[in-house]
Amino acid sequence: MLSLSLSASVHLDTFSRGRGGGGSRKHTLDIYDETSLSQGDSLIDGIPETLAKLRSMGKKMFFVTNNSTKSRKGYKGKFDSLGLDIPAEEIFSSSFAAAAYLEQTKFNESGKKVYVIGEVGIGEELDLIGADWFGGPGDKGKEPDMGKGGRLEHDADVGAVIVGFDREINYYKIQYAQLCINENPGCEFIATNCDAVTHLTDAQEWAGNGSMVGAIKGCTGREPTVVGKPGPLMIDYLADKLELDKSRICMVGDRLDTDVLFGTDNGLRTLLVLSGVTTEEKLLGPENSIAPDYYSDTINDFFMEVPANVEQ
């Protein structure tokens, strides 16, 4: 799920206001969440034209995703295959965020190793910072010895376990991760995100990385450091590195508990799109306590010819 940041102004008056209200003013926009653009491998109609219009207005764009299965390079390839011309330097994945966190905390200076539950994206980003890591796809199909006297030996030099979305999750990986976290003094538990569900296809929702993280939380009793949304790491990195003014950023995405919360927790304006996991009924229902400043059907509504009715 990806993002985009725009540096010219767009009026948000055409969007319906969420229960949080919010005055109308011009904003620089950051559009986060891949589901704002696509569902699985299917591009939402009209997105290429909308992005082209935004670029023609002189807007900067940054795409931020909680999906760790690909690296920034991998996402560039995905966008190319969808016919979207998005430069690699505008893409920030949670796999990159995990590597950036280790770099910021000078993990490599510890001489420790990283054990990975996840797919190729995390490993590719760790390679770029020179981290000593193992696991990930390399532990696909492994089974621990659970016969009489059986045990799984683990590396005492592991100083961090990163848990990202993994379609090849197995008991070996869970056991190895819990041994490192429970038995290696000071071992960090890092999660790329805790999303409950994800969009692997456009036919239905699928169990997200929250299910993998939950397994490790359950057997260690530890809370992870979450480097993806709604945590502050990615927006702080972008704001600092690119000198962005947070008050001029509007977070756009389809999830209340990650995208909108990412915005409200980090001082951004928020716009929820109904093209993903959140329905208008859920947004406005009495059980929801997370309110965006605005909401719309898709980001194509940036260029609606007829303003929508404003709802307070």
Side-chain angles (χ1 to χ4, degrees):
M1 303 156 187
L2 283 165
S3 93
L4 145 75
S5 158
L6 320 170
S7 334
S9 299
V10 168
H11 285 290
L12 297 182
D13 300 348
T14 56
F15 300 134
S16 298
R17 289 183 183 160
R19 292 180 300 160
S24 60
R25 59 178 179 173
K26 294 181 179 181
H27 289 80
T28 297
L29 295 181
D30 272 312
I31 302 176
Y32 296 83
D33 188 38
E34 176 187 2
T35 317
S36 301
L37 310 180
S38 65
Q39 295 177 324
D41 292 324
S42 301
L43 193 64
I44 295 172
D45 290 343
I47 292 299
E49 293 78 12
T50 294
L51 297 186
K53 287 181 181 179
L54 292 170
R55 290 191 187 278
S56 72
M57 296 170 67
K59 298 182 180 299
K60 293 180 182 177
M61 300 185 182
F62 300 99
F63 298 79
V64 178
T65 174
N66 261 359
N67 191 332
S68 65
T69 61
K70 295 180 179 66
S71 62
R72 290 166 293 172
K73 179 181 177 181
Y75 267 105
K76 169 63 177 166
K78 175 180 178 178
F79 283 150
D80 287 347
S81 71
L82 291 173
L84 296 175
D85 183 16
I86 296 174
E89 59 268 22
E90 294 178 354
I91 301 169
F92 293 83
S93 61
S94 63
S95 53
F96 164 75
Y101 172 78
L102 293 181
E103 201 166 32
Q104 289 177 352
T105 57
K106 301 185 185 305
F107 178 83
N108 285 356
E109 295 181 10
S110 72
K112 297 289 187 178
K113 302 175 185 178
V114 182
Y115 181 70
V116 173
I117 293 177
E119 301 188 15
V120 295
I122 297 173
E124 289 178 354
E125 294 292 351
L126 292 178
D127 285 340
L128 292 176
I129 66 166
D132 186 359
W133 70 276
F134 65 102
D139 283 349
K140 173 183 176 180
K142 288 188 177 180
E143 297 182 3
D145 177 8
M146 291 181 284
K148 184 177 181 180
R151 56 183 288 116
L152 177 60
E153 300 295 341
H154 76 286
D155 192 331
D157 287 331
V158 171
V161 173
I162 298 176
V163 181
F165 185 73
D166 190 338
R167 283 166 284 199
E168 300 292 344
I169 188 75
N170 57 41
Y171 191 66
Y172 178 97
K173 296 179 182 182
I174 294 171
Q175 172 66 355
Y176 204 102
Q178 77 86 9
L179 288 171
C180 292
I181 294 169
N182 284 336
E183 299 188 10
N184 292 0
C187 183
E188 290 199 69
F189 174 19
I190 301 165
T192 59
N193 68 85
C194 294
D195 291 357
V197 296
T198 189
H199 287 96
L200 296 180
T201 70
D202 58 4
Q204 62 182 183
E205 293 178 348
W206 299 78
N209 194 47
S211 61
M212 288 87 180
V213 174
I216 305 306
K217 286 172 60 175
C219 58
T220 63
R222 291 266 301 276
E223 290 293 328
T225 296
V226 181
V227 297
K229 297 174 289 183
L233 189 143
M234 286 199 283
I235 190 59
D236 287 348
Y237 181 91
L238 281 169
D240 292 344
K241 184 177 180 65
L242 302 168
E243 299 181 347
L244 299 177
D245 180 356
K246 289 185 181 180
S247 69
R248 297 280 298 160
I249 297 172
C250 181
M251 168 69 201
V252 181
D254 74 316
R255 292 176 183 268
L256 290 165
D257 60 347
T258 54
D259 300 320
V260 174
L261 202 59
F262 180 68
T264 58
D265 284 357
N266 293 292
L268 316 178
R269 303 294 278 181
T270 56
L271 190 155
L272 179 79
V273 289
L274 304 177
S275 54
V277 302
T278 306
T279 63
E280 188 173 31
E281 180 181 11
K282 179 178 180 180
L283 167 65
L284 301 178
E287 295 182 357
N288 173 44
S289 61
I290 303 172
D293 295 298
Y294 306 92
Y295 69 98
S296 68
D297 290 331
T298 74
I299 68 169
N300 295 326
D301 293 344
F302 288 155
F303 299 102
M304 288 175 61
E305 294 184 4
V306 179
N309 292 327
V310 175
E311 299 179 7
Q312 295 284 6

